[in-house]
């Protein structure tokens, strides 16, 4: 059995990955070793074929005794340890959740439902570095898989509604802290008029005492239309990733433009996206729906009516689930080749942990 080392397995993405590996009995197919940056020598989590003690995530010798390393530790760790490992001569398979290596020529961005065949060819050719994609990109590609496979997409504009989890566990908790502050202030004035309450809440969220150490701004009762760093193009880095990563995953010969505004909203762990899709040629609504819904086992077409949409096409309905619903599919008044759609998915499952889990199983097979 292959020796697989896990780094950053305690964090949010790492924990979701551990849960999924257990649910799918994946630990049966490997010897598991757990690494820690701070608690080497203490007890490791108990899994089938797992080693009992934590190993040091900073020890190149211990790391390089693994056939496969899976890191959910974050970009700084990858930047520091990955080159050191490779320079030490380690030839194992590196599987990473962080974005650091995504666009390197010798790294494959993995998204099982979309590029499993290409991943297999890469494994067979001896590629050693595999990286999960940006969550928004991965979810978009699973939802529109059919249209891309049929080479129907001229361009996509994606307006995102991204959950707090994408910014990290601390931010997710901060959103709830902000909501608690709102709830406490509101409870003290239950009988006030709506406009008076609005004035109080706006003062509260803009006040010094509102908890915003991580976001820097209120997210509760608010939206934040800038995610990640600023780029000279005027895009945010999150917006820039959409086209670059999607085209790398799809291995397009001619770039398919994908652009839009990325917005943080007060959802917990589902990223949503409102899409405008320009098709290369006209296609009927029924054929577009059929192509979308038959593309892979995870995409789920939601009929474009109000009850189904509000029941199935919301973060409340999709949180913790593996399917990727897409709905509101209709021709737009902009022209016959323009389609509207709305899609969402769990940012920690297909958005982060699940592509890594599938890749690990594929490598082990
Ligand atoms: N960058 C994403 C976000 C999460 O901030 O929501 C990771 O892909």
């Amino acid at each position: 059995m292959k020796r697989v080392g896990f780094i950053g397995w305690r964090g949010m993405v790492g924990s979701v990955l551990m849960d999924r590996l257990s649910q799918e009995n994946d630990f049966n197919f490997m010897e598991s070793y757990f690494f820690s940056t701070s608690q080497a020598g203490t007890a490791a989590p108990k899994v089938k074929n797992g080693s009992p003690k934590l190993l040091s995530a900073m020890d190149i010798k211990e790391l390089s005794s693994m056939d496969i390393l899976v890191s959910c530790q974050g970009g700084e760790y990858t930047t520091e340890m990955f080159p050191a490992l490779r320079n030490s001569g380690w030839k194992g398979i590196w599987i990473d959740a962080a974005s650091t290596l995504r666009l390197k020529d010798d790294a494959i961005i993995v998204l099982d439902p979309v590029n499993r065949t290409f991943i297999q060819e890469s494994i067979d050719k001896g590629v050693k570095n595999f990286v999960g994609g940006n969550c928004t990109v991965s979810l978009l590609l699973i939802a529109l898989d059919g249209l891309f496979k049929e080479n129907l997409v001229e361009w996509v504009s994606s307006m995102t509604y991204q959950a707090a989890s994408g910014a990290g566990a601390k931010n997710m908790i901060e959103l709830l802290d902000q909501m608690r502050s709102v709830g406490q202030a509101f409870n003290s004035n239950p009988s006030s008029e709506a406009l008076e309450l609005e004035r109080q809440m706006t003062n509260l969220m803009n006040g010094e005492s509102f908890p915003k150490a991580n976001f820097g701004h209120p997210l509760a009762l608010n939206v934040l239309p800038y995610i990640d760093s600023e780029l000279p193009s005027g895009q945010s880095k999150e917006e820039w990733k959409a086209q670059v990563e999607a085209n790398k995953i799809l291995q397009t010969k001619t770039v398919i433009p994908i652009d839009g505004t990325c917005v943080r909203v007060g959802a917990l762990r589902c990223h949503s996206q409102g899409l405008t899709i320009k098709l290369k040629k006209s296609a009927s609504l029924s054929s577009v729906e059929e192509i979308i819904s038959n593309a892979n086992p995870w995409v789920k077409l939601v009929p474009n009516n109000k009850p189904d949409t509000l029941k199935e096409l919301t973060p409340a309905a999709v949180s913790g689930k593996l399917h990727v619903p897409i709905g509101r599919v209709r021709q737009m008044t902009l022209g016959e080749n323009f389609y509207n759609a709305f899609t969402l998915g769990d940012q920690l499952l297909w958005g982060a942990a699940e592509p890594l889990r599938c890749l690990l199983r594929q490598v082990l097979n």
Side-chain angles (χ1 to χ4, degrees):
M1 268 196 290
K2 293 256 188 291
R3 292 158 62 86
V4 181
F6 293 94
I7 310 146
W9 46 277
R10 244 189 292 243
M12 200 153 61
V13 173
S15 303
V16 172
L17 178 62
M18 291 301 116
D19 283 350
R20 288 290 300 136
L21 290 165
S22 296
Q23 284 164 10
E24 299 294 337
N25 296 316
D26 294 322
F27 288 115
N28 294 356
F29 304 97
M30 58 186 140
E31 275 176 34
S32 299
Y33 297 82
F34 295 90
F35 288 78
S36 166
T37 52
S38 57
Q39 292 176 349
T42 62
K46 287 195 174 53
V47 302
K48 180 109 198 246
N49 307 320
S51 82
K53 294 265 165 64
L54 297 181
L55 304 177
S56 169
M58 308 314 289
D59 185 330
I60 294 287
K61 207 162 156 247
E62 278 184 331
L63 289 165
S64 42
S65 69
M66 299 292 133
D67 299 303
I68 301 167
L69 285 167
V70 183
S71 175
C72 299
Q73 183 71 23
E76 279 177 31
Y77 179 83
T78 301
T79 303
E80 183 183 345
M81 297 304 287
F82 175 77
L85 257 169
R86 287 295 185 219
N87 290 338
S88 79
W90 182 66
K91 301 227 161 25
I93 292 201
W94 177 263
I95 303 174
D96 202 337
S99 64
T100 319
L101 305 173
R102 262 183 216 152
L103 298 179
K104 301 274 187 219
D105 288 340
D106 61 357
I108 306 295
I109 306 180
V110 294
L111 186 57
D112 184 273
V114 173
N115 68 349
R116 186 178 175 89
T117 307
F118 176 60
I119 292 169
Q120 190 58 51
E121 289 163 8
S122 308
I123 295 169
D124 295 343
K125 267 198 238 155
V127 172
K128 303 284 185 208
N129 303 333
F130 297 90
V131 188
N134 170 271
C135 40
T136 323
V137 177
S138 297
L139 294 169
L140 176 75
L141 293 189
I142 291 175
L144 296 187
D145 190 18
L147 297 180
F148 284 118
K149 275 182 184 145
E150 294 291 327
N151 194 23
L152 274 172
V153 179
E154 186 173 324
W155 53 254
V156 181
S157 174
S158 163
M159 300 297 179
T160 74
Y161 308 77
Q162 293 183 224
S165 61
K170 283 186 189 151
N171 294 61
M172 211 167 153
I173 293 168
E174 184 170 275
L175 169 64
L176 294 169
D177 273 342
Q178 292 184 354
M179 289 173 166
R180 178 168 51 203
S181 297
V182 168
Q184 282 168 345
F186 170 67
N187 282 338
S188 60
N189 297 287
S191 59
S192 306
E193 296 291 328
L195 282 177
E196 170 57 16
L197 285 171
E198 181 283 320
R199 195 187 58 75
Q200 287 170 12
M201 294 303 156
T202 301
N203 280 340
L204 175 74
M205 75 167 118
N206 288 323
E208 287 298 313
S209 62
F210 204 60
K212 51 191 168 204
N214 294 291
F215 279 114
H217 302 273
L219 180 60
L221 306 183
N222 204 15
V223 298
L224 298 173
Y226 217 110
I227 296 178
D228 210 334
S229 50
E230 295 177 88
L231 297 181
S233 62
Q235 289 173 302
S236 71
K237 194 165 180 197
E238 186 78 358
E239 288 151 9
W240 170 83
K241 284 176 179 175
Q243 177 172 314
V244 175
E245 289 191 21
N247 279 276
K248 178 165 177 172
I249 294 169
L250 296 171
Q251 298 173 273
T252 53
K253 294 201 177 68
T254 310
V255 170
I256 299 172
I258 304 177
D259 200 2
T261 303
C262 290
V263 182
R264 187 78 65 201
V265 301
L268 283 174
R269 60 178 276 186
C270 277
H271 282 4
S272 309
Q273 310 185 51
L275 309 177
T276 301
I277 306 155
K278 169 89 191 295
L279 298 183
K280 287 181 179 169
K281 57 181 191 206
S282 73
S284 68
L285 175 61
S286 59
S287 67
V288 166
E289 287 181 334
E290 198 182 317
I291 288 168
I292 287 175
S293 57
N294 291 333
N296 62 60
W298 307 106
V299 62
K300 182 176 180 217
L301 185 75
V302 176
N304 181 22
N305 62 57
K306 190 170 176 179
D308 285 322
T309 298
L310 296 182
K311 186 165 164 242
E312 296 188 41
L313 202 61
T314 65
V318 176
S319 214
K321 310 262 171 62
L322 274 162
H323 70 291
V324 177
I326 175 168
R328 302 308 325 277
V329 179
R330 63 176 174 83
Q331 244 169 1
M332 300 178 87
T333 58
L334 303 175
E336 70 166 343
N337 295 357
F338 290 79
Y339 273 86
N340 181 75
F342 189 89
T343 182
L344 77 158
D346 188 295
Q347 184 268 327
L348 294 168
L349 287 168
W350 276 120
E354 197 64 9
L356 305 185
R357 190 191 73 76
C358 290
L359 187 264
L360 178 56
R361 271 307 288 271
Q362 196 172 352
V363 171
L364 291 171
N365 289 342

